[in-house]
């Protein structure tokens, strides 16, 4: 696969300074790119050393014009680089078609060019769109619906009746539609509350490896368009995650939480049950959210507090022994003054 | 499936105010229930708006008597609701029988009405009770014993010699009997300590999705009757979990910990190795337990402290910058007074 | 399997006090060992009660000479015990050979005595060394390379092009080579950055159950010789983990982190992206590391601080309400003194 700089400019809407006919065959990081690669320089640190990359061309911000190498000026260098990389690098895919060692139930409806690898198992009454790839070990339960252009990696379980949109990617080992964690108690033992709902995953969602997304007690757990989750994320029953929200590794979202659009959860953070997180909120790493968060807030810590306050608090925590000592000293000095009176 | 209110009263031991012949076909939440559904109102918030539900009948506490709709007065409305829901909602199950694409080893002993789905693999010398369901992708190691009425969801691994009781549910992707994390060190490298024990899971246990429960170094890791774990829970080697204990998502329990009966671990909490947690203790969300906890204690935080104390501490943590400033002020004012002397 | 005490002494380099012809058939803990078992007593607590074990022989430190039972004096009793246990206890293994229900792709190259269990799936262009065991449900992607004497437990996914060294153990449910979590943003939606790299796992590594180790964006995520990870560990793209590093359960290591040799991460700790952790550093339980850590440091807490400081801080945190009260008192007393002036 190859592409000229003029073709790249057309594709990403960039302005070229350099040779329009130069040929690019790969996309690589700034420090390891070769003369056949394109790279990008987004931050000041890279722009400062622009002539140190061996790359055949560099995406740079629109206002940047130094450097002897071929430059393509764009609004968002990383995004332009990503678009070219998506063009040049196609992840390897299994051979198209239904392998004879795949298991397919009754009353299934398949679109065109579906790939079922050996040892994937598709239940009864399943609907699968076009150009879907199910890797080995994938188990799709009865009456599941899957859209178009979906890739499900090995050993993923999608349980009965769940709904998967189009252009969804689910990484290996993930479980979609396990029972929510619901029990009634008589004060001694626990009695299972049947989890009658489903999980619905909308278009353009990417779910990381070994996630667990529970089906709703009633109705649905809902992952909306464009959500991306990292690995080992837990999403409990009846949660709703808004469009374009990012959930980093090992985050836990408890039952019935409602998350808005374009929220960011940093790694290992968690939200307690029945809360709501407003649009565009940012939840810091390892934050433990115990109250609902309004839109646009940046919250950190456990208990949660505004991020700037948390930064100040974090600087003080290690000084606690010193503070305690100082209080004792003040007390003595004060007592001494009082004694003098 | 349908049931009359008089039949429901019999089943749950309730007193009816309303029409004994009214027919119920479903069980649903307060806000979405229809005239054919039963619902429940446990807390004051729901009882106050009892006439706003469209439900055909409502479970209410014994002392409650307002409302124009059909009421069933019971000791525990949520539990009564759960019992009716269990009756009305049967989770879909695969067709009974040993699928020809299941793999079965030698010297296996099966009870009646066992269901082995396509692509599950059962090793040699395995004993499986009656009415057990193994979903696709389940792997059962050699010499495992499984009781009656057990459901094991897709892609679960139960490794050699482990023992599973009756009426156990194991959700997808979970691993039972992986090696405990045990190594001897010569100060430079680590040498594997063979993990010779097993995992024993007693009756009525429910294990969430993508859990990991390690086999013991010697003897057994033991999950006792009625324990319920949520998703992504880690239980290390030689742990004992007492009856009717609840373990919420992403909890980690380190090696050789002994947990009593009816303990609650909230989400993302953890316990350090070789400690004991007494009966009926409650461990707060994200608590990091580094000391043994007596029976009945409610502990939160890291380091752990009584929950009420932790609530006070949590209110003060965000004030630390202010406290530090105040100490500095006090110091100056004190120095000024001292100077005057 | 049996072994005499004189043979044991030869094997571990120990000095015997007792009967060289005594026969040992097992290795067991101090309290449960029988006359046919060997055990070890490393700490003072066990050495003090040396005559209370029923063991046929006890490994003890070199300087120890009390006790009526057979003693073997060694530099490292636990390590000697481990070596004997490794000799006496061989974990059960599936029957050697390629099962007819295993799926093998084209252009695979296998060493001698390879075991492929039923329902494991090996892709095209895969190279597998000698004496490798793939349990049921293991999926090995195209062009993966696996060394000699590797054991991969059920339902593990090793995705395309990853490289696994020799004597590696991978526990059930783990995912090697899922896509790193990389997206470019236009401020609204997220665009997938193709993850073109691989995961390389070197010799003598052991990976726990349900881990997720992501492939690099470019180049490789690299787990070096002798690393051991516990369960539910997350290692992000482009991370390098140095030789003989230990990573306890539920740890998360963010993208592009470089970890040195012989580092220890205690359970549930985490490291933020692009940091480096020096050789022999120790990261405490649940520590949240937000700065690079020099070699040899012992760090705890979040924010991280030297472990000794953290111990002091941890003792003070529960006293915060008291400290706050004291500050208020001091303020009043000071105001009263100031008033008198």
């Amino acid at each position: 696969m190859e592409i000229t700089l003029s073709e790249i400019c057309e594709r990403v809407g960039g302005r070229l300074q350099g040779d329009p006919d130069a040929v690019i065959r790969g996309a690589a990081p700034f420090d390891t790119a070769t003369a056949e690669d394109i790279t990008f320089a987004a931050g000041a640190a890279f722009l400062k050393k622009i002539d140190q990359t061996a790359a055949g061309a560099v995406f740079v911000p629109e206002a940047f014009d130094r450097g002897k190498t071929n430059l393509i000026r764009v609004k968002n260098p990383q995004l332009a680089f990503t678009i070219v990389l998506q063009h040049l690098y196609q992840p390897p895919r299994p051979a198209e078609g239904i392998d004879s060692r795949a298991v397919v139930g009754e009353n299934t409806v398949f679109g065109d060019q579906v790939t079922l690898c050996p040892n994937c198992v598709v239940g009864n009454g399943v609907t699968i769109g076009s150009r879907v790839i199910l890797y080995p070990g994938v188990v799709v339960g009865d009456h599941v619906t899957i859209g178009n252009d979906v890739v499900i990696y090995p050993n993923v379980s999608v349980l009965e009746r769940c709904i998967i949109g189009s252009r969804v990617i689910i990484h290996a080992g993930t479980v979609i539609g396990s029972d929510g964690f619901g029990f009634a108690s008589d004060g001694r033992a626990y009695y299972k509350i049947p989890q009658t709902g489903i999980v619905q995953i909308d278009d353009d969602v990417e779910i990381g490896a070994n996630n667990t997304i529970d089906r709703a007690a009633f109705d649905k757990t809902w992952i909306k368009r464009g959500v991306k989750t990292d690995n080992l994320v837990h999403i409990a029953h009846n949660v709703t995650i808004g469009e374009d929200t990012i959930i980093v590794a090992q985050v836990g979202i408890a039952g019935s939480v409602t998350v808005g659009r374009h929220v960011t959860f940093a790694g290992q953070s968690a939200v307690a049950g029945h809360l709501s997180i407003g649009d565009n909120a940012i939840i810091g790493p390892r934050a433990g959210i115990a109250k609902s968060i309004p839109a646009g807030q940046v919250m950190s810590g456990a208990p949660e507090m505004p991020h700037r306050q948390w930064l100040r608090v974090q600087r003080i925590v290690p000084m606690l022994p010193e503070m305690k000592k100082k209080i004792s000293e003040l007390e003595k000095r004060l007592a001494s003054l009082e004694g003098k009176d």
Side-chain angles (χ1 to χ4, degrees), chain A:
Chain A
M1 187 97 53
E2 61 178 52
I3 187 168
T4 64
L5 292 187
S6 64
E7 287 168 326
I8 288 175
C9 281
E10 239 172 274
R11 191 176 279 268
V12 302
R15 278 188 311 127
L16 176 67
Q17 168 182 312
D19 174 10
D21 298 326
V23 170
I24 292 299
R25 291 194 172 79
F30 192 90
D31 293 330
T32 59
T34 69
E36 296 200 322
D37 293 325
I38 194 165
T39 191
F40 74 104
F46 288 101
L47 291 171
K48 204 181 288 181
K49 55 175 184 175
I50 191 77
D51 287 325
Q52 290 175 33
T53 180
V58 189
F59 285 116
V60 293
E62 282 175 333
F64 187 82
D65 60 359
R66 279 168 293 131
K68 298 166 207 153
T69 184
N70 293 313
L71 299 181
I72 301 179
R73 294 190 201 101
V74 290
K75 207 168 157 184
N76 187 330
Q78 190 194 26
L79 182 53
F81 175 81
T82 299
I83 290 166
V84 173
L85 181 57
Q86 284 177 350
H87 175 72
L88 292 173
Y89 180 81
Q90 308 283 347
R93 294 299 180 207
E96 196 191 300
I98 314 280
D99 190 277
S100 63
R101 291 153 300 187
V103 174
V104 180
E106 295 169 5
N107 301 313
T108 57
V109 178
F110 287 179
D112 300 330
Q113 297 168 272
V114 166
T115 298
L116 301 191
C117 290
N119 287 14
C120 76
V121 177
V122 174
N124 301 318
V126 170
T127 301
I128 294 183
S130 295
R131 298 168 305 279
V132 167
I133 299 171
L134 304 188
Y135 274 85
V138 168
V139 176
V140 175
D142 293 347
H143 304 290
V144 164
T145 300
I146 297 177
N148 298 318
D149 300 293
V150 168
V151 179
I152 306 186
Y153 282 98
N155 291 323
V156 165
S157 306
V158 180
L159 297 165
E160 83 273 1
R161 295 185 289 117
C162 291
I163 298 171
I164 312 285
S166 289
R167 297 174 305 281
V168 168
I169 299 169
I170 305 177
H171 287 286
T174 280
V175 176
I176 309 288
S178 37
D179 279 352
F181 194 64
F183 299 91
S185 170
D186 62 3
R188 305 180 73 248
Y190 293 90
Y191 301 85
K192 184 175 182 65
I193 302 175
Q195 303 291 303
T196 71
I198 64 162
V199 175
Q200 178 182 320
I201 294 180
D202 291 347
D203 297 346
D204 300 302
V205 166
E206 182 165 347
I207 303 290
N210 279 348
N211 279 215
T212 59
I213 305 184
D214 281 351
R215 69 178 56 241
F218 298 97
D219 199 2
K220 66 186 173 198
T221 303
W222 193 3
I223 315 295
K224 294 190 180 174
R225 185 196 48 71
V227 168
K228 316 291 183 191
T229 76
D230 199 347
N231 298 337
L232 293 169
V233 166
H234 165 66
I235 298 178
H237 53 178
N238 292 83
V239 167
T240 297
I241 310 281
E243 290 86 349
D244 297 314
T245 279
I246 287 280
I247 304 180
V248 177
Q250 296 178 316
V251 165
I253 300 187
S256 300
V257 166
T258 301
V259 176
R261 305 167 66 102
H262 203 265
V263 171
T264 301
F265 289 91
Q268 293 193 344
S269 60
V271 189
H274 296 272
L275 301 180
S276 66
I277 310 291
D279 295 348
N280 300 302
I282 297 176
I283 308 300
R286 304 165 68 84
I289 304 298
K291 287 182 189 158
S292 289
I293 305 296
Q297 297 291 301
V298 183
M299 302 297 276
S300 289
E304 71 288 331
M305 60 191 93
H307 184 68
R308 280 158 171 268
Q309 182 178 3
W310 176 79
L311 287 176
R312 291 202 309 269
V313 167
Q314 294 300 288
R315 273 195 299 272
I316 291 171
V317 165
M319 304 176 191
L320 279 175
E322 207 181 315
M323 277 170 68
K324 185 160 181 292
K325 209 172 145 192
K326 206 160 266 183
I327 291 171
S328 297
E329 281 172 24
L330 286 174
E331 222 173 359
K332 277 184 208 152
R333 284 162 58 187
L334 191 56
S336 152
L337 275 186
E338 288 167 338
K340 284 184 188 162
D341 279 5

